[in-house]
Amino acid sequence: PIAAALKIASRFGAKAVAVLYTLVESAKATGVDPRAYLEVVLSRASQTPPSRAQELTPWHLTTDLPASERQGS
């Protein structure tokens, strides 16, 4: 039972970390501060239906972040 629980937890943990890394690297690729981006995404995710998830991508949110929170500004 413990080994099975660890396997499930590891799978869940690995998937969660992969999602987090993807969000951080996507923000960096668009020149957005990853922390600011994550704060916006996490605050809006629960109110955004899956059909509108693309609105939470850094490409769509760059104008919603203050210039001081963009990298290099």
Side-chain angles (χ1 to χ4, degrees):
I2 293 175
L6 288 175
K7 186 174 182 180
I8 291 170
S10 295
R11 243 191 257 156
F12 176 77
K15 187 173 183 176
V17 168
V19 169
L20 180 62
Y21 285 156
T22 299
L23 291 172
V24 168
E25 292 303 319
S26 295
K28 287 180 183 179
T30 55
V32 173
D33 176 58
R35 182 178 177 158
Y37 171 64
L38 289 174
E39 288 175 3
V40 170
V41 168
L42 294 174
S43 70
R44 295 181 184 183
S46 65
Q47 295 93 15
T48 304
S51 62
R52 294 178 45 203
Q54 74 277 1
E55 295 173 16
L56 298 177
T57 62
W59 296 272
H60 285 90
L61 291 177
T62 54
T63 57
D64 291 349
L65 297 169
S68 62
E69 293 183 343
R70 295 185 191 148
Q71 290 180 348
S73 297

